[in-house]
Amino acid sequence: MKQDIILAGVGGQGILSIAYVIDNAALADGLAFKQAEVHGMAQRGGAVQSHMRLSDGTIWSDLIPKGEADMIMSVEPLEAVRYFDFLRPDGIVITSSTPFRNIPDYPDLDKVLDAVRKAPRSVVLDSEKLAKEAGTVKAQNIVLLGAASSFLILKEASLLRTIDTLFRGRGPTVLEANLKAFELGKKAALGS
Amino acid sequence: MPRQILLGDEAVALGAVHAGLSAAYSYPGTPASEILEYLVRLAAETKAFPAVWSVNEKVAYEEALGASFAGKRALVSFKHVGLNVAADPFMNSAITGANGGLLVVSADDPGMHSSQNEQDSRYYVQFAQIFGYEPSDHQEAYDMAREAFDLSERLGLPVLIRMVTRLSHSRSAVEIRDARPQNELKKGAGKDWILLPVNARRRFTQLLERQGEMVRISEESRFNVLRLDEKNRSFGVIASGIAYNYFREAAAGNGAPPSFLKVSTYPLPEGLIRKLVGHVDTVLVLEDGYPFIERQINGLFGVPGKTVLGKLSGTLPASGELTPDIVRLALGRKPLPSLPASGLPLAGRPPQLCAGCPHADTFKALNEALEGYAGSNVFGDIGCYTLGALPPYGAIDSCVCMGASVGMARGASDVGLHPAVSVIGDSTFAHSGITPLLGAARANADMTVIILDNATTAMTGGQPTYGSGEGLLRLIEGLGVPKEHIRTIEPLPKNHDKNVQILKDEIDHHGLSVVVAVRECVQEQRKRRS
Ligand code: SF4
């Protein structure tokens, strides 16, 4: 049993928090994992990605080979499309439809979303709207994680426990909003 | 044994702590920053040792060396180019030797994710003729830190661990061992540590005499693994560090891997390399960074009757970071099928200054102040503000190394370039800008230095800085810059016209001026308020 995931987004969008939750859930579930992330210059609003590998056996490479990823999970639609060459032909793309427009040549959003849907399986959700509904627009990353949760080989309880650890220190409102964001993301994905 | 989730950087750091670390020093730089970041957090909790952001890497190295002189175990860490800054004490510490264990961690950046070159720290290990480790995973990074301290004390020499970006910034679970106590204070012997020629000659001879022993230690290291396939004598692989992971990944699912040697220690385990090369006709050498192993195997004349493949042979790209895909091809395996490209033109998304960044306002004002001049000569430096090179600013003409902007502006001005402007951040100024400004002040060089005082080391995540605020202004004055030409601006849109005028006045002035642009980094401001 293995699962390779490309986490994608723009520097500052919180993909390292998603990775943190998955890492800890994997540890709790007794799985091996390696997760390569991007620090430094690219974190200043550049394209960032994290290679997340889960397995019940040995994981060699810290990077996912092209064609080996089972899932692309992206907080931003253009960034989801950027890593198509990593995805298996039958892989799944789970992405937010909310564009992050910090470049002058950002393509037409409809074209971006059409490109996303060229993947054989895709889940596209309005993470901004759902996060606001949950109580904070900052929880878009957790909306995405919730949307992906039914497709992960991790136990949902382990994910929720880590979200609890991650946000408990920031007060009950923040924690509740993130738990709700997870729930809304999950429902939206299952309904889509 | 308990398992803990750690970044590669953190694994080395925690390994050092559990080995009885007494002091740690560093200057921030990607991909090494997280080593000391982690130690600073641990030190705040445990109060067991100082973990210090030093003024620069040379100072960090000397501080660690002092702790080693005192008999304590010390760690110094930096990115690969930081070792250039620390090269003087580093090279000489191979002659003085270490008293308490001295662990040097240098993190290379193949592919230049956040660096200006791809230099390979293994050359420094060879240059200083000391012992080095190259971990391929987190557990090794953790375990090697402990072993490195033991070996450092056994050999009486500093030991270096070479990291690369991919391992530094990869997270995994590590099995943790019990911590052992720190060393007692025990001063070093003067005859070893006073590098007068009479002592240095003797110490250097001793260093040379230990080389054979180091090769033997390397050959016996449990981190080097030799596996010979008796049935297949045509092809074998030598892989070091992270490249070993890519090799095993690419060879998996295809029966048993070919004969291989995993290299994790330096000087090279010569005997093991002879065995592998002797066993097969063709050897593929996989290493992230320079072709360090490949070149040594080839020597000047190559290995008669054998084919050695790698970066020198053109089998692998000579520059850039290795990936599992590149290694897969080099092993003769076809790429995996993947989803076809979507056809959407993928607009690039380069990094950029944060919205509201003070540097943006300074660059806008500077560009306008320079409008009257044909061609701008703005020497940039290392930090977030290097992004001022990109549109829409296009505000700098050079970026070389820490502090270079000040010396380069001086040199350009000396030979007649006007205006000559240097743009440097407060942390970079403290690191390497003070000494060139001292020289420029003595000569009253015709140049303008703009110090961007955002009160932090922003690019690497907000480490403390030494030359900020009032202290910075006093420091500049103390260096001999005329008081009337030390000006401050607050880079905000509402001050734009005023700032342009101040910059113009100082650029027009034929002599040395320093303009300090004072406004806190918005990321740090946000952190402080949350
Ligand atoms: S981190 Fe600070 S200094 Fe760097 S770009 Fe952002 S605001 Fe500017």
Side-chain angles (χ1 to χ4, degrees), chain B residues 425-445:
Chain B
D426 53 327
S427 185
T428 307
F429 178 72
H431 177 291
S432 285
I434 298 172
T435 41
L437 188 60
L438 178 63
R442 183 62 60 88
N444 194 25

Side-chain angles (χ1 to χ4, degrees), chain B residues 189-232:
Chain B
K191 64 179 181 359
D192 296 342
W193 286 79
I194 304 169
L195 293 187
L196 280 167
V198 57
N199 291 331
R201 283 185 203 114
R202 177 175 43 80
R203 292 294 286 165
F204 185 53
T205 308
Q206 286 170 354
L207 175 66
L208 296 179
E209 283 167 0
R210 310 212 69 166
Q211 297 303 308
E213 182 186 353
M214 282 192 233
V215 172
R216 271 195 306 283
I217 294 170
S218 186
E219 278 165 355
E220 285 159 13
S221 169
R222 69 183 169 102
F223 295 113
N224 297 323
V225 180
L226 175 68
R227 244 192 245 165
L228 299 179
D229 177 352
E230 293 305 331
K231 287 192 221 90
N232 178 355

Side-chain angles (χ1 to χ4, degrees), chain A residues 4 9-10 16 20 23-25 27 30-47 49 51 53 59-68 76 78-79 81-91 93 100-103 105-108 111-112 115-116 118-120, chain B residues 3-7 30-31 34 113-115 136-138 165-174 242 244-250 252 321-325 328 335-354 383-384 386-387 457-462 523:
Chain A
D4 290 321
V10 179
L16 293 187
Y20 173 89
D23 290 347
N24 281 277
L27 185 71
L31 292 177
F33 66 92
K34 279 189 176 178
Q35 177 240 322
E37 55 192 51
V38 177
H39 293 208
M41 200 171 241
Q43 282 178 301
R44 302 269 162 272
Q49 95 296 103
H51 290 219
R53 313 197 75 184
I59 300 168
W60 289 110
S61 171
D62 302 73
L63 293 174
I64 300 171
K66 288 191 171 150
E68 189 82 51
E76 207 282 345
L78 174 62
E79 295 309 316
V81 181
R82 197 181 298 285
Y83 305 102
F84 266 23
D85 52 345
F86 280 91
L87 200 62
R88 309 159 62 99
D90 60 348
V93 178
F100 191 97
R101 290 194 179 92
N102 66 344
I103 44 172
D105 48 351
Y106 195 96
D108 181 55
K111 287 197 181 130
V112 176
V116 168
K118 283 192 185 153
Chain B
R3 277 152 51 89
Q4 195 170 330
I5 300 174
L6 295 169
L7 276 177
T30 313
E34 291 77 7
H113 296 277
S114 261
S115 305
S136 28
D137 63 24
H138 304 71
T165 303
R166 271 315 151 192
L167 182 56
S168 284
H169 291 166
S170 164
R171 241 177 252 279
S172 195
V174 174
I242 199 105
Y244 173 72
N245 301 349
Y246 302 152
F247 159 60
R248 293 303 303 266
E249 176 86 30
E321 187 186 20
L322 282 184
T323 64
D325 310 303
R328 187 180 171 90
L336 293 164
S338 71
L339 198 64
S342 68
L344 182 79
L346 285 171
R349 199 184 308 251
Q352 48 189 276
L353 296 175
C354 305
C384 287
T386 315
L387 295 170
T457 313
M459 173 60 93
T460 46
Q523 295 291 352

Side-chain angles (χ1 to χ4, degrees), chain B residues 245-309:
Chain B
N245 301 349
Y246 302 152
F247 159 60
R248 293 303 303 266
E249 176 86 30
N254 201 21
S259 295
F260 68 82
L261 171 63
K262 167 177 176 280
V263 173
S264 315
T265 59
Y266 304 89
L268 287 176
E270 292 169 9
L272 298 179
I273 289 183
R274 283 206 186 86
K275 276 190 195 146
L276 190 274
V277 176
H279 188 74
V280 296
D281 302 326
T282 300
V283 186
L284 173 67
V285 186
L286 300 170
E287 46 194 330
D288 208 9
Y290 285 16
F292 179 80
I293 302 174
E294 186 187 358
R295 200 180 284 283
Q296 288 185 70
I297 292 177
N298 272 318
L300 204 50
F301 301 105
V303 190
K306 307 280 178 181
T307 309
V308 180
L309 303 176

Side-chain angles (χ1 to χ4, degrees), chain A residues 5-181:
Chain A
I5 307 158
I6 300 276
L7 294 173
V10 179
Q13 279 194 309
I15 70 164
L16 293 187
S17 301
I18 301 182
Y20 173 89
V21 176
I22 296 182
D23 290 347
N24 281 277
L27 185 71
D29 288 357
L31 292 177
F33 66 92
K34 279 189 176 178
Q35 177 240 322
E37 55 192 51
V38 177
H39 293 208
M41 200 171 241
Q43 282 178 301
R44 302 269 162 272
V48 291
Q49 95 296 103
S50 170
H51 290 219
M52 178 88 241
R53 313 197 75 184
L54 307 170
S55 173
D56 57 4
T58 306
I59 300 168
W60 289 110
S61 171
D62 302 73
L63 293 174
I64 300 171
K66 288 191 171 150
E68 189 82 51
D70 304 285
M71 179 191 291
I72 292 173
M73 194 196 305
S74 182
V75 197
E76 207 282 345
L78 174 62
E79 295 309 316
V81 181
R82 197 181 298 285
Y83 305 102
F84 266 23
D85 52 345
F86 280 91
L87 200 62
R88 309 159 62 99
D90 60 348
I92 183 168
V93 178
I94 300 173
T95 184
S96 162
S97 59
T98 314
F100 191 97
R101 290 194 179 92
N102 66 344
I103 44 172
D105 48 351
Y106 195 96
D108 181 55
L109 182 60
D110 289 333
K111 287 197 181 130
V112 176
L113 296 178
D114 283 348
V116 168
R117 294 201 175 92
K118 283 192 185 153
R121 292 190 293 154
S122 60
V123 175
V124 180
L125 66 170
D126 188 339
S127 64
E128 192 175 17
K129 185 173 134 255
L130 294 171
K132 275 189 191 147
E133 196 182 323
T136 165
V137 69
K138 283 191 191 154
Q140 291 189 54
N141 53 350
I142 303 301
V143 170
L144 250 296
L145 180 61
S149 61
S150 323
F151 304 92
L152 294 173
I153 60 173
L154 297 163
K155 295 199 184 89
E156 185 179 304
S158 309
L159 292 168
L160 289 172
R161 245 196 320 273
T162 319
I163 293 176
D164 193 287
T165 323
L166 185 60
F167 292 106
R168 182 158 291 272
R170 296 185 215 171
T173 346
V174 176
L175 174 61
E176 254 163 56
N178 278 284
L179 289 172
K180 185 148 183 223

